[in-house]
Amino acid sequence: MDIIGKFSGQYEFLSNFYDQAFEYDGYVFKTAEHAYQAQKTIDEVDFEKIKNAETPGLAKRLGAKIYVRWDWDDIKLDIMYRIVFAKFSSSPELQKKLIATYPSQLVEANTWNDTFWGVCNGKGENHLGKILMNVRQILMRIEI
């Protein structure tokens, strides 16, 4: 099976850092990373700082410094799924690009040791890749 293993270049749109504004939970976020990091908190001030961060990298750094909501580990996979679905379903162009990756396996290969969301040095759970493939399957079924 063909593998798309880096979310860069022509596949940059798969990255949560991809510059694509979309609405999630009543708010407009600059990127999926902004949306994901903002969901970690129930503090309005921290939420707004993350939501309005200049870059997705800054949103990620801010998200690493806040007090994380008590149930985060229980809900983070569902939150990521909902964010990824919102990102791709809100843009016909991105939806077509995601569908065009079929039947390739999507693997968030990285060098920053993220073995939960991706794969580093051949090890990892690749949850982001799995979510992207799940969203792709759903969008393929509802595409007009």
Side-chain angles (χ1 to χ4, degrees), residues 45-104:
V45 173
D46 287 340
F47 179 90
E48 287 296 323
K49 282 182 189 175
I50 294 168
K51 182 173 91 52
N52 296 317
E54 191 170 325
T55 66
L58 179 56
K60 185 175 183 175
R61 289 189 298 278
L62 290 169
K65 294 178 182 178
I66 61 169
Y67 179 76
V68 178
R69 55 188 293 164
W70 67 272
D71 60 348
W72 185 242
D73 285 336
D74 296 330
I75 65 170
K76 66 184 176 184
L77 283 168
D78 185 55
I79 295 290
M80 182 66 83
Y81 171 80
R82 292 170 186 268
I83 288 168
V84 170
F85 186 84
K87 171 186 169 180
F88 284 95
S89 64
S90 70
S91 168
E93 179 186 341
L94 284 186
Q95 183 174 340
K96 286 177 185 170
K97 286 176 142 183
L98 179 60
I99 291 170
T101 66
Y102 182 82
S104 297

Side-chain angles (χ1 to χ4, degrees), residues 14-26:
L14 296 169
S15 169
N16 282 349
F17 279 48
Y18 185 69
D19 187 15
Q20 175 69 39
F22 64 97
E23 186 176 327
Y24 174 74
D25 200 25

Side-chain angles (χ1 to χ4, degrees), residues 93-116:
E93 179 186 341
L94 284 186
Q95 183 174 340
K96 286 177 185 170
K97 286 176 142 183
L98 179 60
I99 291 170
T101 66
Y102 182 82
S104 297
Q105 182 179 2
L106 305 179
V107 177
E108 204 272 323
N110 66 77
T111 56
W112 49 91
N113 296 315
D114 183 347
T115 57
F116 182 80

